[in-house]
Amino acid sequence: NAGAAWEAYLASVAFALFGVGVVPLKGCIVVLSLLCLFLFYRMGCALYDRRTAVFATVAFALTPSLLKWHFQVRGYSWYFLSVPLLTLLFASIESTSVPKRGTLLLFGLVSGLSIWCLELAAPPVVALWLLLILRRRISLSIAPAGLIGFLLGYAPVIVFNLTNRFSNWRYVAIEAPGGGFSALLQLSNWRRIFLDEMPKFFGPDTVLWYYGEEPAVGYVFYAIAFFALGVGIWPFVKSPGKILRALRGDLADARQRSDFDMVVLTAASFVPYMSQAPGVPSYLFGACFFLSM
């Protein structure tokens, strides 16, 4: 979670300029949240159109699950910046038949930095890379550029693990509360997550990990998100053959192709959350980007 350290470094600059206090500290997060909204708007324009981007940005800005983050120092800020930036780079690479090495190098660099800042970014990063590979946007001739970029961005984590008996990787994969990824997709967790914790996640509670109450507004926003996901999935339920065409990038309808990508990335964002048996609803924050879109 290097993102928490970066928030501290940014706050030190604000403290040097304006003195130590709550306003300079939270002001940094407000500035980063505004930058995140701008990147999210650009992401909407790249994937869809300006009208969709505007409405999605409004929905994203007013989602109760995210309102708490705009003013709280939690180490999530760089994760929130990396998700739209990665998706923007993905859209740039995906839209060209022969991507430039420089763009792929930058995509790899941001991928590595994103996972370094917060491991929650790992599943969406993997999903984006897999989509590019399946759509044959990454050829063997340019693949090394992406790998070099990733290794550069992820280098601090590699060095730390090599000099500390792989303690970080062991914790993430094995020793984390709930068994790490060994607890992934335990069926016993599904009922608790979808019937009990999701209404809390979409509510206005500001508790970081565990939510005490189930507010009515949480059910409203949960229903809206569930409906939005259903709209994205429905064309592929009616015509399963579209799934294969969407994976290959051959789907003629550009909007449906983008909807498919949003569904895939939403599912990827569920992986860290479902890997934790006790349940950490805020691990699902990344899905709010794609659900809003």
Side-chain angles (χ1 to χ4, degrees):
N1 188 6
W6 284 110
E7 286 184 0
Y9 299 149
L10 185 61
S12 68
V13 176
F15 289 167
L17 295 175
F18 306 107
V20 177
V22 174
V23 173
L25 176 62
K26 293 193 174 185
C28 295
I29 307 302
V30 173
V31 170
L32 292 175
S33 72
L34 293 174
L35 177 58
C36 174
L37 289 176
F38 171 75
L39 290 174
F40 181 73
Y41 168 76
R42 296 297 304 164
M43 166 183 157
C45 291
L47 292 172
Y48 292 93
D49 51 58
R50 182 174 296 179
R51 180 175 178 272
T52 303
V54 169
F55 280 110
T57 303
V58 172
F60 181 77
L62 300 181
T63 301
S65 301
L66 294 180
L67 280 174
K68 64 195 76 173
W69 170 75
H70 295 309
F71 303 96
Q72 297 193 17
V73 185
R74 292 183 167 181
Y76 281 98
S77 56
W78 302 103
Y79 173 53
F80 284 127
L81 292 176
S82 68
V83 172
L85 184 56
L86 280 167
T87 311
L88 272 169
L89 291 169
F90 164 80
S92 175
I93 296 171
E94 203 269 338
S95 62
T96 57
S97 56
V98 183
K100 296 180 180 179
R101 283 188 175 83
T103 306
L104 193 60
L105 176 69
L106 182 59
F107 182 62
L109 179 65
V110 176
S111 297
L113 288 171
S114 299
I115 299 175
W116 173 41
C117 285
L118 195 63
E119 287 92 347
L120 293 181
V125 166
V126 171
L128 290 170
W129 277 91
L130 284 176
L131 286 172
L132 290 176
I133 292 171
L134 289 172
R135 292 169 184 175
R136 300 180 181 180
R137 296 298 187 270
I138 301 179
S139 63
L140 291 177
S141 61
I142 63 172
L147 179 60
I148 291 171
F150 178 83
L151 292 175
L152 288 173
Y154 199 59
V157 185
I158 297 173
V159 172
F160 176 86
N161 279 281
L162 291 177
T163 56
N164 289 271
R165 299 181 179 180
F166 309 104
S167 59
N168 171 244
W169 288 336
R170 287 204 319 270
Y171 178 83
V172 171
I174 302 172
E175 300 170 359
F181 289 110
S182 63
L184 184 63
L185 299 181
Q186 289 184 3
L187 296 180
S188 60
N189 295 332
W190 288 29
R191 181 181 182 279
R192 169 180 53 81
I193 289 172
F194 291 106
L195 298 183
D196 181 49
E197 293 182 358
M198 283 297 94
K200 301 175 185 178
F201 172 77
F202 286 99
D205 200 333
T206 59
V207 177
L208 176 58
W209 279 5
Y210 302 102
Y211 300 79
E213 299 179 356
E214 297 180 12
V217 69
Y219 283 96
V220 173
F221 277 87
Y222 182 31
I224 293 172
F226 195 80
F227 174 76
L229 193 61
V231 170
I233 293 174
W234 181 244
F236 302 96
V237 174
K238 289 196 304 179
S239 178
K242 287 185 176 180
I243 297 177
L244 185 58
R245 294 201 298 273
L247 286 172
R248 293 196 309 242
D250 298 334
L251 198 61
D253 191 322
R255 177 172 286 271
Q256 286 188 2
R257 187 168 64 247
S258 293
D259 285 347
F260 177 83
D261 293 345
M262 296 301 95
V263 171
V264 169
L265 291 169
T266 299
S269 299
F270 261 97
V271 172
Y273 177 32
M274 298 192 73
S275 70
Q276 302 297 315
V280 188
S282 58
Y283 280 6
L284 190 58
F285 275 158
C288 291
F289 287 86
F290 315 117
L291 289 173
S292 299
M293 197 64 68

